[in-house]
């Protein structure tokens, strides 16, 4: 019989105590694993967002972080809207009514406007144009893929595209109508759009977005900017300048609006596009270009400075903002959470110590018997330490599995709210690989006291009979 | 006397009391057990019987003198070396049986083999238990065995490493009269069959009278004599 076998039988003999000790350790480890994995998922969520197919966001003056959180992650609230003319500054002559290049056209490769403020069943509705999925990439250089249907056309005022998580959660299919609500989850119900496409999963916040043609978005009640002296009609106006905007990417959609035909069954049959002077945008997603003779970084830096010096808008770099957010808030918070959970594990490991010290009387007799049978002090020391390691490894592995089960259980919630696919198999490999060795070390440290007590057991005293 | 398997000469052992006073427990000029000898050691309570067994088995180290077991002088060995001699040369049977409660009868025998020099021989463990009449109790834990059965497991365990001597400390003190004879017979018969020397410590006259060689500790332990005076 090996020392391992002896230690295992000792554990079995004190089954209830052993199970409770291992269980307390398992719960601590489960907490650590869940924290590590979900922390990794949160980080991945932000980092995946910062890798979208654009490198700059232009929006209203205010917090650049708020601008990024709202535009990239669809969380937080829009700061304000910016004028339509600001958007036009990024358009080339061919896309402008006046036939002149916009101020920043030379530094711009792609400019996609977004308008926010509406919701559909808890998901953000984003008014944009077809360039969103036609010209921007997913960030990994790959074009957006549609699992069902196609991108909406700029001419389809009431066409919409759903992110993968939205489609999964709402059960909407291509051809289904859906009606956003104005300003909040329980706001006034707008005219319906029609699903024309469902995006393939991207594991980015895009999965949580409802994207509609901004021409239709502008035509909803409350989405038109009031023009002084003009009496708003009942289908296009409002005081809420936070909610609206437009754009279009195709050449014809950037010129003066013309009549468009609506898809069958969607909204008014003879809708006219909203005049430019009544339009605003929430933000512009920019993919910058390189000016001749300049590296793209310098072009972007110059563009950003020029925008920020103006009065109307600010330019934010998503990657920089996200890094700052991670460094300032997420990582310290994660570290704090890890410290707390590490303390839980340490306390759980103390359970091993308490359990072993608690059974030391019984153990002393067993140790004395083994010593009388010829066991050396090193044998009993090793047996106690092996017992502690077995409890630590057993509790640790059970906790590891429990932690992943927990992550698996909350995975649907994470996917819906963070736009990142999480599963029972989501891991934080480096940290998890250190967990069991750390636990074993901790268990050995905790078991040293009872092990030394066993080592020093007075055999004669414990075996003494009368005489 | 035939070749001694155990030989003590000029052995002294004393203990310091918490008060600082020293109490002499053993002062033995000579004590020996021959190979294959069956002997009983009698003595009053407190006469040093258990201390003598602890010194012979190497659990305690003598303060002075020589303790030789199968030609090995224990007083020259480290504690770990004495542990090894105890595992290989001696079999111990206790008054309280001292079986490991979390282990089955067979596992209690195998544990003893774990600490010996020989290989772990499961078949031998089974054979030993069969020899003491426990073939149908191999996988029972001590709590599921009767008192007599537990003592038989203890005897089987003492034989696990083919010892040269079995030291039995009051082996019948915790069992009823009907089982006492069984245990003594088992010890004597087994030791006779295997040529093992047997030293039984007891204060039970009915046990002592069955042994051809009876020693009274007070008769050769000068420390005990001094206490009596």
């Amino acid at each position: 019989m090996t020392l391992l076998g002896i230690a295992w039988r000792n554990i079995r003999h004190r089954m209830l105590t052993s199970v409770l000790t291992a269980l307390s350790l398992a719960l601590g480890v489960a907490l650590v694993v869940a924290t590590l994995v979900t922390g990794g998922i949160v980080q991945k969520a932000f980092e995946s967002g910062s890798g979208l197919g654009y490198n700059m966001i232009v929006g209203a003056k205010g917090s650049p972080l708020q601008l990024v959180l709202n535009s990239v992650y669809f969380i937080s609230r829009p700061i304000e809207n910016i004028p339509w003319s600001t958007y036009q500054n990024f358009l080339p002559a061919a896309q402008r009514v006046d036939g002149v290049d916009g101020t920043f056209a030379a530094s711009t490769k792609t400019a996609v406007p977004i308008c926010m403020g509406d919701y559909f069943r808890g998901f953000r509705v984003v008014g944009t144009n077809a360039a969103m999925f036609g010209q921007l990439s997913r960030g990994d250089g790959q074009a957006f893929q549609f699992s069902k249907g196609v991108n909406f056309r700029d001419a389809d005022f009431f066409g919409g595209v759903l992110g993968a998580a939205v489609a999964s959660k709402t059960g909407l299919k291509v051809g289904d109508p859906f009606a956003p609500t104005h300003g909040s989850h329980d706001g006034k119900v707008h005219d319906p759009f029609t699903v024309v496409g469902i995006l393939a999963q991207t594991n980015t916040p895009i999965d949580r977005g409802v994207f509609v043609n901004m021409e239709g978005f502008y035509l909803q009640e409350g989405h038109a900017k009031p023009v002084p002296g003009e009496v708003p009609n009942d289908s296009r106006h409002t005081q809420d300048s936070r909610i609206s905007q437009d754009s279009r990417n195709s050449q014809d959609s950037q010129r003066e609006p013309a009549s468009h035909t609506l898809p069958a069954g969607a909204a008014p049959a003879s809708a006219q596009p909203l005049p430019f002077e009544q339009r605003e945008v929430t933000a512009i997603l920019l993919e910058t270009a390189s000016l001749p003779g300049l590296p793209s970084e310098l072009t972007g830096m110059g563009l950003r400075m020029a925008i920020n010096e103006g009065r109307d808008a600010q330019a934010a770099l998503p990657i920089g903002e996200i890094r700052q957010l991670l460094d300032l808030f997420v990582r310290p918070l994660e570290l704090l959470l890890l410290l707390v959970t590490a303390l839980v594990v340490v306390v759980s490991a103390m359970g091993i110590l308490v359990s072993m010290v608690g059974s030391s009387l019984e153990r002393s007799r067993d140790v004395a018997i083994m010593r009388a049978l010829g066991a050396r002090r090193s044998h009993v020391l090793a047996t106690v330490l092996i017992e502690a390691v077995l409890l630590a490894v057993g509790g640790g592995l059970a906790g590891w599995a429990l932690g992943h089960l927990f992550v698996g259980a909350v995975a649907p919630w994470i996917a819906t709210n963070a736009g990142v696919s999480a599963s029972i198999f989501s891991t934080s490999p480096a940290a998890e690989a250190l967990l069991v060795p750390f636990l074993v070390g901790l268990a050995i440290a905790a078991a040293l006291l009872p092990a030394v007590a066993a080592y020093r057991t007075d055999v004669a005293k414990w075996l003494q009979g009368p005489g | 006397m035939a070749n001694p398997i155990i030989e003590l000469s000029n052995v002294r052992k004393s203990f310091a009391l918490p008060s600082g006073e020293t109490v002499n427990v053993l002062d033995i000029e000579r004590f020996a057990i021959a190979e294959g000898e069956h002997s009983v050691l009698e003595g009053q309570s407190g006469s040093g019987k258990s201390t003598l067994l602890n010194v012979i088995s190497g659990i305690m180290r003598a303060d002075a003198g020589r303790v030789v077991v199968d030609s090995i002088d224990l007083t020259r060995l480290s504690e770990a070396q004495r542990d090894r001699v105890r595992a290989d040369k001696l079999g111990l049977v206790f008054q309280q049986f001292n079986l490991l409660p979390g282990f089955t009868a067979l596992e209690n025998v195998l544990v003893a083999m774990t600490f010996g020099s020989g290989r772990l021989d499961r078949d031998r463990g089974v054979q030993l238990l069969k020899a003491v009449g426990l073939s149908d109790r191999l996988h029972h834990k001590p709590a599921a065995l009767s008192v007599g059965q537990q003592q038989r497991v203890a005897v089987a365990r003492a034989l696990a490493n083919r010892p040269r001597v079995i030291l039995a400390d009051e082996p019948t003190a915790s069992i009823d009269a009907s089982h006492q004879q069984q245990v003594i017979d088992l010890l004597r018969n087994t030791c006779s069959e295997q040529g093992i020397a047997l030293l039984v410590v007891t204060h039970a006259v009915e046990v002592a009278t069955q042994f051809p060689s009876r020693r009274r500790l007070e008769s050769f332990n000068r420390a005990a004599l001094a206490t009596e005076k």
Side-chain angles (χ1 to χ4, degrees):
Chain A
M1 184 176 293
T2 60
L3 295 182
L4 181 69
I6 293 172
W8 174 242
R9 279 161 183 82
N10 283 338
I11 286 176
R12 276 197 335 194
H13 179 54
R14 290 182 273 273
M15 185 60 88
L16 182 63
T17 313
S18 303
V19 166
L20 290 177
T21 305
L23 187 65
S24 111
L25 200 59
L27 291 175
V29 171
L31 202 58
V32 171
V33 168
T35 305
L36 285 172
V37 173
T38 49
I41 288 169
V42 168
Q43 192 160 330
K44 188 178 162 195
F46 279 106
E47 286 173 350
S48 68
S50 64
L52 287 176
Y54 48 87
N55 56 339
M56 195 179 289
I57 301 172
V58 177
K61 294 268 189 194
S63 158
L65 178 60
Q66 188 180 350
L67 177 63
V68 171
L69 290 178
N70 183 59
S71 308
V72 178
Y73 300 101
F74 308 143
I75 51 181
S76 182
R77 295 191 63 81
I79 301 171
E80 259 302 339
N81 290 324
I82 53 176
W84 178 256
S85 58
T86 303
Y87 164 58
Q88 287 189 308
N89 285 340
F90 297 93
L91 300 179
Q95 295 180 24
R96 288 169 56 101
V97 179
D98 57 10
V100 179
D101 274 345
T103 313
F104 306 124
S107 308
T108 305
K109 186 176 175 189
T110 311
V112 176
I114 57 171
C115 310
M116 301 175 79
D118 284 355
Y119 293 83
F120 177 69
R121 294 191 196 171
F123 293 102
R124 285 291 181 89
V125 173
V126 181
T128 185
N129 61 22
M132 178 84 182
F133 303 113
Q135 292 188 20
L136 292 181
S137 71
R138 297 191 313 186
D140 54 5
Q142 302 294 311
F144 283 100
Q145 302 288 323
F146 285 83
S147 60
K148 298 276 168 50
V150 293
N151 192 8
F152 62 77
R153 291 181 298 113
D154 286 325
D156 293 339
F157 279 19
F158 287 87
V161 163
L162 304 181
V166 179
S168 161
K169 188 86 174 176
T170 61
L172 285 177
K173 300 184 294 294
V174 172
D176 288 346
F178 64 98
T181 53
H182 184 74
S184 65
H185 304 299
D186 53 358
K188 180 174 170 46
V189 178
H190 284 311
D191 294 333
F193 287 82
T194 302
V195 179
V196 298
I198 293 171
L199 287 161
Q201 187 161 324
T202 62
N203 292 329
T204 70
I206 291 287
D207 294 344
R208 289 180 286 122
V210 176
F211 302 91
V212 298
N213 189 329
M214 65 196 314
E215 294 299 338
F217 186 92
Y218 280 132
L219 295 178
Q220 303 289 352
E221 184 177 343
H223 286 192
K225 175 186 165 189
V227 176
E230 181 179 307
V231 179
N233 64 36
D234 55 9
S235 71
R236 45 177 95 165
H237 55 118
T238 203
Q239 301 308 311
D240 186 0
S241 60
R242 201 173 258 192
I243 320 274
S244 51
Q245 293 16 305
D246 151 51
S247 100
R248 5 195 158 152
N249 173 44
S250 62
Q251 188 170 334
D252 64 308
S253 66
Q254 302 307 324
R255 294 183 180 281
E256 271 298 342
S259 297
H260 293 286
T261 304
L262 297 177
S270 57
Q272 294 296 314
L274 189 73
F276 286 166
E277 62 271 21
Q278 287 185 269
R279 298 181 175 204
E280 290 180 312
V281 299
T282 305
I284 305 159
L285 310 180
L286 281 186
E287 187 183 6
T288 57
S290 296
L291 288 175
L294 277 180
S296 59
E297 291 82 5
L298 279 182
T299 306
M301 194 184 297
L303 178 61
R304 186 175 171 223
M305 285 175 64
I307 294 168
N308 287 342
E309 282 169 3
R311 289 183 308 163
D312 294 334
Q314 67 164 329
L317 303 175
I319 292 176
E321 293 301 325
I322 293 314
R323 279 198 184 140
Q324 206 173 358
L325 175 71
L326 287 174
D327 290 343
L328 283 179
F329 297 106
V330 177
R331 289 200 178 102
L333 203 64
E334 193 184 5
L335 192 64
L336 184 70
L337 210 56
L338 260 183
L339 277 177
V340 172
T341 49
L343 277 178
V344 172
V345 172
V346 170
V347 170
S348 307
M350 293 300 286
I352 292 182
L353 171 65
V354 172
S355 153
M356 290 191 158
V357 168
S359 58
S360 61
L361 272 183
E362 189 182 356
R363 184 189 306 282
S364 294
R365 186 176 164 275
D366 290 0
V367 166
I369 294 170
M370 287 201 292
R371 293 291 319 282
L373 295 176
R376 276 173 271 168
R377 288 185 191 272
S378 57
H379 286 142
V380 297
L381 182 80
T383 304
V384 176
L385 292 180
I386 290 171
E387 206 176 311
V389 168
L390 285 177
L391 286 175
V393 170
L397 290 179
W400 179 78
L402 205 62
H404 280 281
L405 280 175
F406 173 78
V407 173
V410 299
W413 185 87
I414 292 175
T416 300
N417 292 278
V420 176
S421 66
S423 77
I424 196 169
F425 301 111
S426 298
T427 56
S428 178
E432 286 184 56
L434 289 175
L435 199 57
V436 171
F438 172 72
L439 277 176
V440 168
L442 208 58
I444 288 174
L448 271 179
L449 185 65
V452 168
Y455 182 89
R456 299 173 64 174
T457 298
D458 182 346
V459 182
K461 174 188 161 191
W462 285 98
L463 296 179
Q464 200 168 27
Chain B
M1 177 183 260
N3 289 337
I5 191 72
I6 292 174
E7 189 173 16
L8 279 69
S9 50
N10 300 316
V11 167
R12 285 199 301 274
K13 179 69 186 175
S14 59
F15 295 102
L17 297 177
S19 62
E21 195 183 346
T22 301
V23 177
N24 291 323
V25 180
L26 295 181
D27 184 358
I28 299 171
E29 186 179 355
R30 189 166 190 284
F31 173 78
I33 300 286
E35 281 185 11
E37 178 185 343
H38 292 189
S39 185
V40 70
L41 183 66
E42 298 171 83
Q44 292 178 346
S45 186
S47 61
K49 300 191 297 290
S50 293
T51 303
L52 178 60
L53 288 191
N54 284 334
V55 167
I56 293 172
S57 62
I59 290 172
M60 285 180 183
R61 186 175 215 150
D63 297 335
R66 294 178 75 229
V67 178
V68 177
V69 174
D70 198 18
S71 305
I72 300 170
D73 185 356
L74 297 186
T75 53
R76 292 177 180 275
L77 302 182
S78 67
E79 185 183 56
Q81 288 169 323
R82 295 200 309 272
D83 292 337
R84 175 52 61 91
V85 171
R86 182 164 64 252
D88 287 341
K89 309 283 185 187
L90 302 172
L92 303 183
V93 178
F94 305 94
Q95 175 184 332
Q96 304 292 341
F97 323 139
N98 286 337
L99 299 180
L100 292 166
F103 294 61
T104 64
L106 179 57
E107 287 167 349
N108 264 284
V109 176
L110 296 180
V111 164
M113 290 185 190
T114 303
F115 304 119
S117 299
R119 68 184 182 89
L120 189 68
D121 188 342
R122 194 176 187 281
D123 291 341
R124 176 171 163 75
V126 172
Q127 287 305 319
L128 286 169
L129 286 168
K130 280 184 179 172
V132 297
L134 292 175
S135 55
D136 57 345
R137 293 288 186 275
L138 299 178
H139 305 295
H140 287 59
K141 289 189 176 173
L145 299 174
S146 69
V147 170
Q149 288 170 333
Q150 287 184 47
Q151 192 61 309
R152 280 189 269 166
V153 174
V155 171
R157 184 179 64 182
L159 296 166
N161 292 325
R162 304 178 196 278
R164 302 298 310 278
V165 185
I166 284 187
L167 304 176
D169 188 2
E170 303 282 6
T172 58
S174 298
I175 51 182
D176 57 55
S178 63
H179 287 99
Q180 284 182 2
Q181 194 56 47
Q182 286 180 17
V183 169
I184 294 300
D185 289 345
L186 176 64
L187 278 170
R188 295 203 63 188
N189 293 339
T190 310
C191 289
S192 294
E193 287 164 12
Q194 301 185 24
I196 298 170
L198 172 65
L199 177 61
V200 175
V201 170
T202 185
H203 62 274
V205 177
E206 64 276 19
V207 171
T209 53
Q210 297 182 42
F211 284 77
S213 168
R214 293 174 65 179
R215 328 268 183 108
R216 190 151 192 92
L217 187 55
E218 292 89 337
S219 67
F220 61 91
N221 180 11
R222 289 180 295 209
L225 287 170
T227 307
E228 283 181 350
K229 286 173 188 170

